Amino acid sequence: MKMRVKMSLMCIMVLVMATQVNSFVGITWGRLQTQQLVPSMVVDLLLQNKIPQLRLMTSGYDIIEIFSGTNISLSVTMGNQFVWQANRNDLAYVWVNDRIKDPINKGVNIRSNRWFRTIFNTFLKEANNNQVVPVLKLIRETLDDMKLGHVRATTGHGMDVLKVSKFPSEADFRDDIKKPMLESLEEFNRTGVPFVLYMFPIHFVKEIMNYTMEFAFMDNKSGFKIVDGNITYTNAVELMIDSLAWALKKAGYPDMKIMIGQIGWPTDGYPHANIKNAERFHKGLLKYVSSKKGTPLRPGPLDIYLHSLSDENEFRTIFGTFQRHWGIYRADGNPKYKIDFSLQDRDEYPTEAKGIVKMPNRWCKFNGDTSNMYLVNKNYDLACKTADCTRLEKGASCDGLKFESRISYAFNAFFQKYKQSLERCDFDGLGKIVATNPSVENCEFPIEILAFQDQIVQNGMVLRI
Ligand SMILES: *[C@@H]1O[C@H](CO)[C@@H](O)[C@H](O)[C@H]1NC(C)=O
Ligand SMILES: *[C@@H]1O[C@H](CO)[C@@H](O)[C@H](O)[C@H]1NC(C)=O
Ligand SMILES: *[C@@H]1O[C@H](CO)[C@@H](O)[C@H](O)[C@H]1NC(C)=O
Ligand SMILES: *[C@@H]1O[C@H](CO)[C@@H](O)[C@H](O)[C@H]1NC(C)=O
Ligand SMILES: *[C@@H]1O[C@H](CO)[C@@H](O)[C@H](O)[C@H]1NC(C)=O
């Protein structure tokens, strides 16, 4: 049930989307990484791969501005700290001005293209459901005041807003949130925004339904099916969307558009989470999207955002370590698997991020001295408290490591996090720096990249980007 909680705990976001491009495939990008990809490199990566839409999970305007003139539709996340503030007129005004109006004035999101619309996507995190609509309305008014009528405000939802059952036709919104849900729907309908759904079939199939994992894939190989009246479902994706469609219908909105704000497959930290399955899932999903056939209840094109561009090794793990492994790309900008964003089902790796500089080939290892186990454990704990050790957890890719290697993994993660600074491989004398890659089989000891949020170092000079 871990991910279940996650759904009600997300934050507010702003979406910019091209409503005329049906069956668009965008991608989400979060920045909770030790060494972040440089935004301009991400822009390049999206252009190279012809990904038309990016949903940025932050609203840093220094990042937003980099998209100026690129014709990439951008969506921006409004974090909790702003949600509370947005309850105040003046602060909502400042937020919208800084994060939306200014960038649009600077050419972000093709301001001259009347086909493109911006969508605010408000997804409440640790928030009272009753706050959704007031915040949405306030943002809406603020946008209108600023003559940004084409910018829309909406909110996203996990599957956990639904009471699901075996049959989509029995789905409905949960009783305990029905009232605020109906208020949200009224507001969405009033302002003409889609219902944004975040869906993770791997979790739905395993935790919610307890079906065979094959049902999560869209290549229809399992023979497993759910028959609901005269409709047969052969995969979870269509079943999930139609469950929502039924709930919307029962609430009085049979025609409200559904948009998938997040869909993906993690590669580590969860049963069935691996690169092979992620590739298979996306292959089936993108083929399905490009077919534009839609679901039995909602035939026609579907707009989706794939989740996510790259791993985030500093993401909270309170719902599970898989949260750090959603990336289609590794944290260093290399693709993990084959995926064709252009929807032509080519069997190719996507273009990697250009211009990324890796740290030197150096790793930090445990020297093997176990004479003082207290010190070993203390340093292991210290390393894993700060750096990302999620791959060491049960069922994850480095779970099988022998004791010494586990300690080495932790030491290395810490060392890399601090940009290979020599003193970060000391560990009371238990660490040593090596030049041979200690990675074993599936367990990779990563090296970080030389890339920073706001600056890039070239020939010893710090350049702002
Ligand atoms: C911008 O994107 C839209 C939709 O993808 C496309 O129709 C248009 O030609 C693009 N404009 C430029 C200048 O690339
Ligand atoms: C949704 O909006 C449309 C158009 O504004 C309106 O005609 C319709 O009554 C609304 N639906 C509900 C259930 O309020
Ligand atoms: C899930 O299904 C399997 C067999 O299909 C069963 O053995 C198991 O007990 C079920 N788990 C739960 C939590 O219902
Ligand atoms: C899935 O495969 C079965 C046969 O195995 C076929 O009857 C059915 O039409 C297929 N469904 C889809 C959606 O392709
Ligand atoms: C399926 O059943 C629904 C009602 O249960 C009916 O309205 C619809 O026409 C049926 N569709 C087909 C293709 O038989």
Side-chain angles (χ1 to χ4, degrees), residues 433-451:
I433 291 170
V434 298
T436 45
N437 190 341
S439 302
V440 282
E441 287 173 33
N442 288 334
C443 174
E444 188 202 339
F445 284 51
I447 290 184
E448 290 275 9
I449 56 173
L450 260 183

Side-chain angles (χ1 to χ4, degrees), residues 15 20 42 53 73 93 112 141 164 224 241 299 332 341 412:
L15 298 188
Q20 97 287 11
V42 170
Q53 313 265 337
S73 269
Y93 192 91
S112 58
E141 280 162 23
V164 290
F224 181 90
I241 294 171
D332 66 4
F341 297 110
N412 182 59

Side-chain angles (χ1 to χ4, degrees), residues 377-395:
N377 288 325
K378 185 193 92 176
N379 281 293
Y380 172 84
D381 290 346
L382 165 86
C384 285
K385 220 165 146 178
T386 320
D388 178 29
C389 291
T390 55
R391 287 195 182 118
L392 291 174
E393 300 206 6
K394 201 159 168 40

Side-chain angles (χ1 to χ4, degrees), residues 12-13 78-80 82-89 92 95-96 120-124 127-143 153-155 187:
I12 285 208
M13 48 200 79
M78 181 191 243
N80 273 349
F82 296 110
V83 178
W84 313 134
Q85 296 181 356
N87 265 318
R88 280 179 43 193
N89 281 355
W95 194 91
V96 172
F120 273 91
N121 182 333
T122 314
F123 193 48
L124 287 201
N128 185 330
N129 283 308
N130 297 319
Q131 279 163 314
V132 178
V133 172
V135 171
L136 277 179
K137 287 199 151 112
L138 179 60
I139 298 287
R140 177 72 267 145
E141 280 162 23
T142 311
L143 287 166
T154 189
T155 175
E187 178 67 7

